[in-house]
Amino acid sequence: MEKITGYVEHIVFRNQENGYTVFHLENDDGELTCVGTFHYINEGELMELEGEYVNHSVYGTQLKVISHKLKEPEDLISIERYLGSGAVKGVGAALAARIVRRFKEDTFRIIEEEPERLAEIKGISERKAREIAVQVEEKKDMRAAMIFLQKYGISTALSVKIFKHYGAKLYQILEENPYQLADNVEGIGFKTADEIAARIGIHPDSEFRIRSGLFYVLQQAVGEGHIYLPQQVLVYRATQILGVEIDEAEKYIMDLCMERKVIRKEEEGEIRIYPTHYYYLELNTAKMLHDLNIDCKMPEEMMEKRLRKVEEREHITLDAMQHRAVIESIKHGLLVLTGGPGTGKTTTINTMIQFFESEGMSILLAAPTGRAAKRMTEATGYEAQTIHRLLEVSGNPEEEGNVNGFLRNRENPLETDVIIIDEMSMVDLPLMHALLSAIVTGTRLVLVGDVNQLPSVGAGSVLKDIISSECFPVVTLTRIFRQAGESDIVMNAHRINAGEPVVLNNKSRDFFFLKRQEADVIISVILTLIQKKLPGYVGAPQNEIQVMTPTRKGLLGVERLNTILQRYLNPSEPGKDEEEIGGRIFRVGDKVMQIKNNYQLEWEVCTKFGLTVDKGMGIFNGDMGIVTEINKYNETIEVEYDEHRKVKYPYETVEELELAYAITVHKSQGSEYPAVIIPLLQGPRLLYNRNLLYTAVTRAKKCLTIVGSESVFQEMIQNKSEQNRYTSLAARIREF
């Protein structure tokens, strides 16, 4: 690690959002290029830097800065350089030289204590003197705050955020209750606040710490999919994290209730603690669902007669349950249609569309992901879009209290008569709430999904809770149609869901099981399947053959598989650009996935001549694309997603991407692939269950190959244990 002190001579590049900066530093040894994250930096600053020398392929030797400190100018030359650097607006090099020549070592004292004396210098009016003093004073406060916060190990970036939020009050906040930082400053969670508190000397069993710890555990639970925690579970988890016994839990929870952070409810024989925001999301969602569920005044005989006309005209033959589903969608404002693969959901949706169109009604179709929307478009012949695009995303709707996250909302609702949403098992509570907020009473809403698939990645269990409330019409399709019945993927998916044994004799045309017992042998088989066997068999390129695994870690986890698959499926070659960022190699041609919702990312669709024909905002968790360009000069990676949408990622935001040659089953929801390969060896029982296996199998369209242990496969079919989600949407619905 090198330690260097010098002046910021010239800022070459700066990203205002995250502080990533490239600048030239001048010291006794000459000029040096430095790169790092600096949230507060100006030309002329005196800096003490710690970092490592790296050799950039284009720019040569650079100092990669790990940590840095701002230093006060110490001599006349330093003072003059600082004032003339542009750090103080309106003061250039010549004026700075005149100020320092006049006041010498007293310059800063004069500016701070007697700023009117600056007017003694030619070219400085009294007004300009005051402006200079204000700027130096403002920066003095921030500089002092940053030096103070650095004592507690707080980075420069967080120091700036803390100072901007609290100003001079930050000293009092840190002394009294540093846990406030976790509530008020973006980027500071409980753990960071807890570290600061420990350094300051806050006692481990202080009230602030216990209250903040309890709320932190609730927030963590939301990240796991829960809407509330039973009080005893909450207290137990908080005890484990805080490392102290919580004797008066009731008192701390009541304090959090008084602060309106949580809501405490006694229900079904237990005390439940909800984050306030999520309690009201459930409550409002329940009310809006009821508001939509109004009955149609058309006589049933007339519905039947008009439906028969549509069936005859379109040459559609519905079975009894499909027929009932269409009639229920006409009769009621809200309908849930559920069923496994091959049970005719698409035919039923198409008939509904034809009926509503024949009545002169307008229809909107949507699904949670781009891939699911694309499949819906192909199956119906009508344009479907993502729910985010339907609601016209703007800003970040996931921020608590951000009612303007979507342009479509209560004030600006969707203008249509019918809305059909597919893949509802993937829709979490916040997205469902946003969708319902944009639908006016009188609009029909049809929710379609497979309730036996894995629940949404986000919090809630919306589809399951709506069905279990038993308050709305639900039609479950169970009959497997002849064409689907010829597919062993479909038939075995239903056997898995029913807990029945699956015959693994490899006499099938689309469902194969290759028995192997060692991880490295399994990986070798996977490579052979992708490179030689499957592309020709299913008529699809290598990139569309998807490896799916239950876990992230381990010998057959996503992280190890991706490293190995990248090496063989997209090897390093002369002329093929690649870049190592954060210990991971990205290469042109790599298959990648966005791993968090980013509402600010801009995408555009261009012609081959570079003309933009469409553009928009937002790339979402689970979206998959291909790396098409690595620009080492601009330090960006370009990824092309579905529908030719191209996005440029600056290097510092690449942590939102990961390789996607292999993905977890959870990340595969809502997608379908021509061929799927599932490596399978022993794993955690809670994860290796029927629900996960069923979801994985139903992702394959033409061919499914499982490589691994037959006993693990059969055990998963019998293992019904799923992680129970603490949700109460069904109870809220029944209350209304």
Side-chain angles (χ1 to χ4, degrees), residues 544-608:
E544 290 185 26
I545 294 161
Q546 189 59 54
V547 179
M548 248 180 249
T549 181
T551 59
R552 290 197 61 80
K553 305 285 184 187
L555 294 175
L556 292 174
V558 161
E559 291 171 12
R560 181 169 186 255
L561 279 173
N562 271 322
T563 306
I564 295 169
L565 293 176
Q566 181 195 41
R567 193 185 311 147
Y568 287 98
L569 300 178
N570 188 27
S572 183
E573 292 171 9
K576 186 190 282 184
D577 285 334
E578 63 176 63
E579 190 69 70
E580 184 176 342
I581 304 167
R584 297 177 301 158
I585 292 171
F586 288 94
R587 195 172 287 140
V588 168
D590 273 339
K591 188 173 172 181
V592 292
M593 175 185 274
Q594 173 82 12
I595 57 169
K596 60 179 279 194
N597 288 342
N598 186 329
Y599 299 89
Q600 310 305 322
L601 268 180
E602 293 182 19
W603 53 261
E604 60 179 21
V605 179
C606 297
T607 66
K608 63 181 179 180

Side-chain angles (χ1 to χ4, degrees), residues 246-257:
I246 302 174
D247 297 324
E248 299 173 20
E250 197 73 39
K251 171 190 175 299
Y252 298 119
I253 287 166
M254 291 314 293
D255 286 345
L256 287 168
C257 289

Side-chain angles (χ1 to χ4, degrees), residues 377-396:
T377 300
E378 289 164 359
T380 62
Y382 287 78
E383 189 200 352
Q385 52 196 319
T386 62
I387 299 172
H388 285 93
R389 208 162 181 195
L390 178 77
L391 297 178
E392 298 172 30
V393 67
S394 163
N396 183 357

Side-chain angles (χ1 to χ4, degrees), residues 115 118 120 401 405 430 451 471 726:
L118 290 172
E120 296 170 14
V451 78
C471 291
Y726 294 115

Side-chain angles (χ1 to χ4, degrees), residues 39 79 150 247 523 569 632 721:
H39 280 264
I79 295 169
Q150 278 172 359
D247 297 324
I523 293 169
L569 300 178
K632 298 193 178 204
S721 66

Side-chain angles (χ1 to χ4, degrees), residues 9 15 19 96 145 160 171 176 192 194 221 298 310 321-322 326 444 461 503 510 517 544 580-581 586 628 639 662 716:
E9 180 68 24
N15 184 318
V160 172
Y171 306 101
E176 292 176 1
T192 306
D194 203 30
M298 187 191 295
V310 170
M321 291 309 287
Q322 289 175 310
V326 179
R444 282 184 173 76
S461 190
V503 178
D510 63 0
Q517 299 300 328
E544 290 185 26
E580 184 176 342
I581 304 167
F586 288 94
T628 49
V639 178
M716 286 178 79

